[in-house]
Amino acid sequence: MKKEVIIIGNGIAGVTLAVLLQRKNIPFVLLYREEEKLPFALGETLPPSAMSLLNELELLSLFEENAYRKTYGYHSMWGSSRVTDMNFYHQNPYKNGLKINKHQTLEKLRETIKDNMVSYRKGFEIIHEEHGNTVVLAKNEGVKIIQGKILIDATGRNRAVLQKLKIESVIHDELVAVSCHIPKIKHPKLTHEVYVESFKDGWGIVSALSETENICTIFTNKGNEILAKLKDISQWKSTLAETVYLKDFLTENTEAKIKGGNANSSVANQLAGTNWLALGDAAMSFDPLSSHGITNAMYTSAKALEAIEKKLNFADVEAFPEYDSTMKIIFQQYLQSKNRLYQQEIRWKDVEFWERFF
Ligand SMILES: Cc1cc2nc3c(=O)[nH]c(=O)nc-3n(C[C@H](O)[C@H](O)[C@H](O)COP(=O)(O)OP(=O)(O)OC[C@H]3O[C@@H](n4cnc5c(N)ncnc54)[C@H](O)[C@@H]3O)c2cc1C
């Protein structure tokens, strides 16, 4: 199989780039790993600022149609024990964000590119040929050989392509997340269905996924002693007993499924090479406090498309290095604003989780 672009990774970043390439009639293949399990819904929230990007990419209506719902603001208790009401009414031009159903949105997007998707079960290998092309071997019972001019890493925090290319990353912190789906409770003191609260060992967010279900995620640092307790849903309420409102959402229902993982900020040392680019979380991964992971995935895909067009149509050798330097600048700006957010919380500045921000 010969294509111009080989994308590896089936998440928002890889699939968005595939959709954009298809619109431009640039031949591509999206190579993905066969997964047996349904993904655990994280219930990501997109801020109003992301709506403009979705609109520019002509994907806004698809995202809206497949979202759990629109969001019009959130409550937070951060920096003091006062609840702040962040209402999107004053945002322009969009006065709402979205609580996305990522799985459903991705399925809709994948339908449009399904003829150019190839799965594998047993790994892949990358071979660089002397004449500049990249050959990827997708391994199943046999091996499928795919040749392309440009290789894309869209494998999220796994950075599977970057690892094979021996590109390392800088990890800026040790944030980890533990999530669980719990029965929906409407808090009597909160009107918005997204609530964020900081506490001594980290912070948590509760938001409504549906009419019957909430998702609660607790963020703390790797090695924090609360992590062992959060493995058991029956201990969540007691572990978070000192929180003001978070604890009210929790149940001791032992049926709830728990999912943990990394949520740290990290950036690849190189986001582009002569014939490859990294997108989304593979390029740079953001702290979920920023609510910008999905926006980053979409934005890097849009910028990657521009760079790919310049390279393929005009043999522009600067396009990929420019992509690399633009994204690194964005990441530095993101790091500064993220750190400022954490520095607003001074109540526990001498405690393990918070002290690293001061
Ligand atoms: C707890 C939590 C809450 C979050 N909340 C928000 C939020 O509110 N708002 C927001 O905008 N963002 C949020 N994010 C971040 C957001 O989910 C990610 O930034 C976004 O999904 C990244 O998209 P991606 O396509 O780059 O990577 P991913 O979604 O990770 O997709 C990568 C794809 O590559 C595949 N893959 C991995 N390894 C390989 C391999 N070896 N071979 C082939 N395929 C591979 C994976 O199966 C997956 O399909 C949150 C993240 C976490 C952890």
Side-chain angles (χ1 to χ4, degrees):
M1 185 186 274
K2 273 192 177 177
K3 299 283 176 180
E4 299 285 67
V5 183
I6 305 170
I7 305 169
I8 305 189
N10 200 8
I12 284 283
V15 171
T16 302
L17 177 64
V19 168
L20 300 179
L21 289 168
Q22 181 154 289
R23 284 186 198 156
K24 297 276 183 174
N25 293 319
I26 299 175
F28 71 92
V29 62
L30 187 147
L31 191 59
Y32 69 99
R33 214 170 36 177
E34 276 178 30
E35 311 269 357
E36 274 154 26
K37 290 185 285 184
L38 261 185
F40 183 94
L42 291 174
E44 287 100 331
T45 315
L46 299 194
S49 57
M51 301 303 111
S52 301
L53 176 63
L54 288 177
N55 189 40
E56 267 171 47
L57 300 179
E58 296 175 27
L59 290 172
L60 181 59
S61 45
L62 186 140
F63 269 70
E64 282 178 347
E65 282 158 19
N66 293 288
Y68 291 115
R69 60 197 160 78
K70 289 185 172 174
T71 55
Y72 296 95
Y74 60 89
H75 291 295
S76 71
M77 192 178 285
W78 189 278
S80 78
S81 54
R82 204 165 38 89
V83 174
T84 306
D85 179 343
M86 184 62 193
N87 199 310
F88 296 154
Y89 183 74
H90 301 289
Q91 304 271 324
N92 282 312
Y94 294 93
K95 300 192 182 301
N96 70 278
L98 285 180
K99 169 102 334 215
I100 62 162
N101 180 336
K102 194 165 72 177
H103 178 61
Q104 192 174 309
T105 306
L106 277 170
E107 287 294 293
K108 274 281 173 303
L109 288 167
R110 286 174 191 143
E111 266 172 35
T112 66
I113 52 157
K114 62 178 186 303
D115 295 341
N116 294 307
M117 291 176 69
V118 169
S119 68
Y120 72 83
R121 269 192 301 281
K122 300 192 172 166
F124 67 91
E125 291 301 328
I126 302 170
I127 300 169
H128 290 287
E129 287 191 324
E130 275 169 16
H131 48 89
N133 285 342
T134 297
V135 176
V136 174
L137 306 179
K139 297 182 193 161
N140 285 322
E141 277 61 44
V143 169
K144 188 160 206 135
I145 301 171
I146 306 166
Q147 190 184 58
K149 292 187 183 144
I150 297 168
L151 179 61
I152 303 291
D153 191 345
T155 61
R157 288 169 180 271
N158 277 359
R159 301 196 164 119
V161 175
L162 293 181
Q163 280 193 37
K164 289 193 193 283
L165 297 176
K166 308 234 176 315
I167 306 291
E168 296 194 347
S169 316
V170 181
I171 295 169
H172 287 268
D173 58 73
E174 299 210 305
L175 194 71
V176 288
V178 190
S179 307
C180 69
H181 293 175
I182 45 180
K184 181 168 170 180
I185 291 168
K186 180 95 190 66
H187 200 284
K189 299 234 169 86
L190 304 169
T191 47
H192 298 303
E193 291 193 317
V194 181
Y195 173 64
V196 177
E197 184 179 328
S198 51
F199 60 94
K200 185 168 76 56
D201 294 304
W203 59 279
I205 177 166
V206 182
S207 60
L209 280 182
S210 66
E211 284 313 309
T212 54
E213 201 173 34
N214 277 341
I215 174 163
C216 177
T217 304
I218 302 299
F219 296 88
T220 186
N221 56 301
K222 210 172 180 171
N224 194 299
E225 60 181 22
I226 66 165
L227 277 172
K229 298 178 194 153
L230 293 178
K231 282 188 187 149
D232 174 3
I233 186 69
S234 66
Q235 291 193 47
W236 278 48
K237 215 175 169 71
S238 56
T239 307
L240 299 165
E242 285 176 21
T243 59
V244 184
Y245 291 156
L246 263 186
K247 63 176 186 311
D248 301 343
F249 288 95
L250 299 170
T251 132
E252 278 158 4
N253 169 5
T254 48
E255 297 295 299
K257 226 168 85 187
I258 294 177
K259 165 102 178 143
N262 279 333
N264 53 16
S265 300
S266 67
V267 62
N269 279 342
Q270 223 186 308
L271 284 72
T274 331
N275 59 351
W276 62 265
L277 295 169
L279 310 182
D281 277 8
M284 42 194 189
S285 46
F286 290 8
D287 187 318
L289 186 62
S290 70
S291 279
H292 263 71
I294 302 285
T295 311
N296 173 54
M298 315 282 304
Y299 181 76
T300 50
S301 304
K303 287 291 156 193
L305 174 72
E306 286 174 22
I308 291 168
E309 282 189 295
K310 284 186 192 165
K311 179 143 181 125
L312 292 178
N313 299 340
F314 307 106
D316 182 343
V317 291
E318 291 306 318
F320 282 21
E322 271 168 23
Y323 173 89
D324 178 80
S325 51
T326 308
M327 296 311 155
K328 281 178 180 157
I329 293 169
I330 291 176
F331 189 77
Q332 286 311 317
Q333 291 166 345
Y334 147 76
L335 269 186
Q336 285 171 11
S337 59
K338 185 222 32 154
N339 288 338
R340 277 198 296 272
L341 265 177
Y342 277 101
Q343 284 158 6
Q344 286 172 12
E345 181 52 270
I346 53 168
R347 289 176 292 173
W348 302 285
K349 64 194 259 192
D350 300 325
V351 173
E352 184 189 1
F353 178 80
W354 297 96
E355 65 182 1
R356 65 206 155 98
F357 299 106
F358 293 92

